[in-house]
Every structure is written in structure tokens, then in C-alpha cells.
Amino acid sequence: MLKSVPRGGLAAALVVVTLLTGCRDAATPAARWHAPETGGGSSSAAVPPDAVELRLAFAGDVHFMDRTRPLLRDPATAFGPIADTLRDADLTVVNLETAVTERGTPQPKTFHFRAPTTAYDAVRAAGVDAVSIANNHTLDYGQVGLLDTLDSARRAGFPVFGAGRDADQAYAPWLTTVRGVRIAVLGMSQISELASQWQATPTRPGIAMAFDTKRAVAAVAAARKQADLVIVYLHWGVEGNPCPSAQMKAFAPKLAAAGADIVVGTHAHTLLADGWLGRTYVHYGLGNFLWWSGLNSPDSGVLQLTVRGRQVIRNEFRPATVSDTGQPVLVTGAAERKIRDKLTVNQRCTGLSRTPG
């Protein structure tokens, strides 16, 4: 278990020191490599990246509103027992669906989410290594709120990706090295609400939007040249629909062709299913994770992938349910079977293969 303890605050060098693995970087969303890992004992850096097996974990939408806001009174325990599952991976990523700000003007939309800076303490304590902020709530409080989100992440030394002060930052991957494997993680949104106003431009802060297909595909292709493993975390889909839309099905193959090894998504507030596009692993939707409302499906879970080189060699979904506190709780027995049965049905509409091609 590489992440056996929650991690505390970071120094200005933005280097996370873990007890078991040595140094793991935690950078702001600039596309640059960071200090390599160091530590005692044998070094996996001498092992070719395609011979290293990594365990990755992904989960869905997270924020701290209404019933989940009080959880930040103790950030170290905000996620509850499921944090042990998140920590039990070499790399863990979720979607932080909120502006981290106390300022800004609410935008012309129905729902507005924001959280204090202790949100970063909570995700770090839960074992999360980085978060996507390419979603339809990061600019709920305008550019002021987005810039606060970026600034507070930098001060906290916590990696965020998928948005930036301009288009170059927004489309840049988060780059990290884990056990000698260079990993690039990109975030993008395919949600149409306020998309034209929220898209990052050369002179405007914003989100990396998947609607700019040329820019999105180029970003993946550029990441392919820099990394051994390329992951794209997308905010896409139709709320409440357990099947991928035609738009999603059209975009995923373009990401695969550009060099994405793993594509995972969120937004629909319900679980979608997974499979392969050739050698690219795709999970269309992870549902809600730490969630403010009981209005949506409570089905949730943690996606655990084992990767060797560029290939996902094992995929396992750990079913959970969003509890009355908003915290996801792993389930067993009849509750687990019910979720797995739903996923079996949902897989039929993905158009994906059950095994790599």
C-alpha cells in the first residue's frame, strides 16, 4: 500500500514526501516535470516503465455544499472510511466540482457550488493526488472564483488540472512521475451550459473545453510525446442517462487515436459503464461521489485499474452508495449485486468491447 497515511501540508517546493515511496511531486497545472522520486532501498526508476505495474484509482464528482459542507470541520475525516480505498493506489484522481472561493458573482445558472480552501486539505487527507476542475461549476462565481480556485490550489500545493489562467494552462496536462512511470493527466469539459463564456482563451481564464476538438486532440497528442501513460478525465454526458450520448461516442475514439491510454468521465449523476476502444480503456461515467443532495442516484463507487506500460490489465469497480451524510460508503451483498447488475445492463449501450482489441 503506497498511500498508507494521509498527507499533510506541503512546502513551497510543492514536493510531497511519502513514508513508503519517497518523493512524489504535487504541482500546479503547469505542463512540466518535477523532481524525480527518491528514497531508500531498490529503485523502480531503473525498471523500464512498461515493466512497472501501477494501481490507479478514480472516483466521481466531489464538492462541499449543504450536507457535505459540515464535513470540512474536520478535513482529515471528510471522506469517511472510503478514504482507505482511495489511499490504496499509486495514483488517485477525482473531479472537484466546485469553485474554491469566498468571492465572486453567481453566474446565470441554476446551481452554484463553492467551498473554502479546506477542501484541498480534505481531498489530500483522503489520499487523492490531483483533481480535475474542468467541469460546469468551477466558474459558478465567475473568473474571480476561478482565479481564487487556482491561487488557493497553488498555495496549498495541491495539483489541479483542466482549467487555467489562459488556454495554454487549461489544456496543459498535470505531469507526474510515479515509480519511474511518467504520467500525463488532462481534464476537459463537454458540457454546453455557458461553454462559450467559460472556455479558456489566449487572453481569458477558463476551462479546457472538449468542443474545441482540434485543440483538445492536439493537447492529447502533445501529452503522448511527453509521457509513458496518458489519462484524460472528462466532464460529459446527459444528466440521469446511464448510456453515453452520440457526442461522447464520437469524441472518445478521437482521444484514443490521439494517444490517450485511459479515458474516464463524470457529470451524469448516475453510473455509466466501461470497456475498450482498441487498446484504450474507457469508463464513460463514475457518478457522484461525495455529494450534496439526495436528489440523484445514490449509486457510486471507486474505479481501480492496474496498468502495465500503456495497457490496463485489470479493471475493477468497487460499488458504493452515497449516504445521508453525502459520504460514499462501500457496499456488499444485495446492494453490491444490484449496482453490478445495473452496470452489466449499462455496458450494452456503450459500444465498447469487454476486452482490449
Side-chain angles (χ1 to χ4, degrees):
M1 180 184 298
L2 295 177
K3 296 188 292 188
S4 59
V5 297
R7 287 154 292 186
L10 305 180
L14 304 183
V15 177
V16 177
V17 181
T18 63
L19 294 179
L20 297 180
T21 60
C23 296
R24 294 179 59 183
D25 73 273
T28 54
R32 56 188 178 86
W33 294 107
H34 309 285
E37 301 163 2
T38 60
S42 60
S43 171
S44 62
V47 180
D50 59 1
V52 176
E53 284 192 10
L54 293 180
R55 293 182 300 159
L56 313 179
F58 302 91
D61 298 334
V62 169
H63 62 192
F64 299 92
M65 283 287 295
D66 291 353
R67 67 180 179 180
T68 59
R69 181 66 174 261
L71 299 173
L72 290 180
R73 294 170 186 163
D74 185 2
T77 63
F79 281 74
I82 206 166
D84 290 338
T85 304
L86 300 178
R87 295 186 197 113
D88 191 23
D90 297 315
L91 186 75
T92 300
V93 177
V94 303
N95 175 59
L96 185 62
E97 191 158 19
T98 183
V100 181
T101 184
E102 299 294 343
R103 304 190 304 149
T105 302
Q107 298 300 289
K109 59 199 298 284
T110 302
F111 296 102
H112 301 87
F113 301 148
R114 65 177 168 188
T117 56
T118 47
Y120 293 124
D121 298 328
V123 290
R124 176 185 287 118
V128 176
D129 294 284
V131 297
S132 174
I133 56 172
N135 57 64
N136 60 314
H137 288 286
T138 301
L139 275 94
D140 278 357
Y141 289 85
Q143 292 182 17
V144 169
L146 170 59
L147 293 175
D148 282 354
T149 302
L150 296 171
D151 288 343
S152 58
R154 176 182 52 79
R155 289 192 297 269
F158 193 85
V160 300
F161 59 89
R165 296 179 180 278
D166 56 29
D168 286 343
Q169 278 196 358
Y171 286 92
W174 172 53
L175 301 171
T176 189
T177 301
V178 180
R179 295 174 53 206
V181 179
R182 301 172 304 164
I183 302 174
V185 190
L186 303 97
M188 301 177 191
S189 174
Q190 201 180 50
I191 307 305
S192 60
E193 182 181 33
L194 297 175
S196 61
Q197 296 98 310
W198 287 20
Q199 181 173 7
T201 72
T203 58
R204 184 179 68 191
I207 303 295
M209 291 292 182
F211 299 108
D212 187 344
T213 304
K214 182 177 179 180
R215 182 69 188 257
V217 169
V220 175
R224 175 77 276 152
K225 296 178 181 178
Q226 301 177 74
D228 303 306
L229 183 70
V230 177
I231 302 167
V232 183
Y233 196 116
L234 275 153
H235 209 63
W236 58 357
V238 179
E239 293 188 10
N241 190 342
C243 292
S245 66
Q247 190 177 47
M248 297 163 73
K249 288 184 174 181
F251 189 52
K254 295 177 182 178
L255 298 175
D261 302 307
I262 297 170
V263 177
V264 295
T266 58
H267 173 68
H269 305 308
T270 190
L271 292 175
L272 283 76
D274 66 346
W276 274 265
L277 280 171
R279 306 296 288 181
T280 299
Y281 174 83
V282 178
H283 196 299
Y284 276 121
L286 296 171
N288 300 329
F289 196 59
L290 192 137
W291 198 246
W292 72 293
S293 169
L295 298 176
N296 309 119
S297 169
D299 295 342
S300 184
V302 178
L303 174 65
Q304 296 176 318
L305 303 178
T306 302
V307 179
R308 184 188 301 124
R310 297 181 56 184
Q311 188 62 56
V312 173
I313 61 173
R314 184 183 180 194
N315 59 310
E316 180 181 3
F317 188 79
R318 300 284 304 281
T321 188
V322 180
S323 67
D324 291 341
T325 64
Q327 295 167 311
V329 178
L330 292 176
V331 294
T332 58
E336 177 182 4
R337 290 192 297 272
K338 184 177 180 181
I339 293 175
R340 292 196 184 280
D341 288 345
K342 287 183 180 179
L343 290 175
T344 298
V345 173
N346 294 350
Q347 202 281 331
R348 298 170 187 164
C349 62
T350 63
L352 301 172
S353 299
R354 296 305 298 151
T355 58

